[in-house]
């Protein structure tokens, strides 16, 4: 069947639409963009569960384990994401078909990215600070003590920062890679 052979050859010869590894959500997102987008849907409920456990169930050790796990997962995700964005994925190429993106000057997509980074960068620093201070100042088997007040204040800020990072990240993803 020469027709179908031509079609097959055409498929093989057609280069992928974008540089980098393709994602799996059926959008224009790359593999890492899709992974981080999806991971936040697991991280946010896990964070809320951890806070519920410490606040209403006094499960201090479980809260510590959960927070250290979340911190490690987030650190790994940020590192992998940064490597991918700097070396492999041209996000602007993937955002180009969006009606909210423009290659020249400011666009809604760029504004959404800046808003997202305004939460993501301070929140990363805040998480490091909250975790380091908690490890230093709570006993090894964690329990309320002199560090409680400072922890509750900074940790709530870190929590709100993470929620805003997730929401603004989802918004940016939709504007750039779905619309
Ligand atoms: C970025 C990481 C963390 C976040 C976002 C976080 C979040 C929170 C929040 C929001 C509360 C207050 C809950 C309330 O309103 O009563 C809390 C309490 C607490 N957290 Fe964390 N936490 C983190 C890491 C840790 C770590 C690593 C430890 C242990 C080493 C820890 C130990 C505690 C303890 C003992 C309390 C109870 C304080 C008290 O009520 O006196 N947290 N945490």
């Amino acid at each position: 069947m020469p027709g179908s052979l031509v079609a097959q050859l055409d498929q093989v010869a057609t280069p992928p639409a974008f540089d980098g590894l393709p994602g799996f959500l059926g959008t224009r997102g790359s593999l890492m963009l899709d992974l981080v987008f999806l991971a936040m849907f697991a991280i946010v409920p896990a964070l809320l569960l951890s806070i519920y456990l410490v606040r209403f169930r006094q499960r201090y050790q479980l809260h510590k384990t959960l927070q250290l796990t979340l911190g490690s997962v987030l650190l790994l995700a940020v590192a992998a994401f940064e490597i991918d964005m700097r070396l492999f994925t041209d996000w602007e190429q993937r955002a180009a078909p969006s009606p909210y993106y423009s290659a020249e000057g400011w666009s809604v997509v760029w504004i959404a990215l800046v808003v997202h980074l305004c939460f993501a960068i301070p929140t990363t620093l805040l998480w490091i600070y909250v975790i380091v201070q908690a490890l230093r100042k709570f006993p090894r088997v964690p329990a309320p003590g002199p560090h409680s007040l400072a922890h509750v204040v900074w940790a709530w800020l870190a929590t709100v920062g993470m929620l805003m990072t997730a929401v603004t990240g989802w918004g940016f993803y939709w504007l750039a890679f779905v619309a």
Side-chain angles (χ1 to χ4, degrees):
M1 291 271 244
S4 68
L5 185 64
V6 168
Q8 278 179 20
L9 282 174
D10 194 41
Q11 264 193 351
V12 173
T14 307
F18 305 111
D19 298 336
L21 292 173
F24 51 87
L25 292 178
T27 66
R28 292 186 300 278
S30 66
L31 179 64
M32 277 312 295
L33 281 161
D34 282 10
L35 267 178
V36 174
F37 176 82
L38 212 60
M40 293 313 283
F41 284 98
I43 285 168
V44 166
L47 174 59
L48 297 179
L49 173 70
S50 172
I51 293 171
Y52 166 82
L53 286 169
V54 77
R55 187 182 172 113
F56 297 109
R57 293 279 176 266
Q58 291 77 45
R59 300 291 302 270
Y60 304 113
Q61 181 59 51
L62 188 54
H63 170 71
K64 175 179 176 178
T65 308
L66 271 170
Q67 289 309 128
L68 292 181
T69 309
L70 280 178
S72 315
V73 169
L74 281 164
L75 209 65
L76 278 177
V78 170
F81 190 72
E82 281 300 313
I83 292 170
D84 183 45
M85 286 301 132
R86 306 233 175 263
L87 299 182
F88 303 110
T89 297
D90 181 354
W91 75 263
E92 290 191 70
Q93 183 194 43
R94 290 173 180 271
S98 165
Y100 301 104
Y101 177 82
S102 152
E104 288 109 41
W106 284 96
S107 61
V108 176
V109 166
W110 264 108
I111 294 168
L113 178 61
V114 170
V115 170
H116 173 60
L117 291 178
C118 283
F119 288 104
I121 295 168
T123 299
T124 306
L125 301 176
L126 210 52
W127 269 60
I128 295 170
Y129 174 74
V130 168
I131 289 179
V132 169
Q133 288 293 87
L135 289 176
R136 285 178 57 211
K137 299 203 169 173
F138 281 125
R140 182 180 280 270
V141 176
H147 181 55
S148 287
L149 181 60
H151 180 73
V152 170
V153 170
W154 288 107
W156 268 115
L157 253 174
T159 301
V160 172
M162 187 55 71
L163 297 180
M164 291 307 294
T165 301
V167 170
T168 55
W170 289 328
F172 169 70
Y173 181 97
W174 189 87
L175 289 167
F177 310 118
V178 181

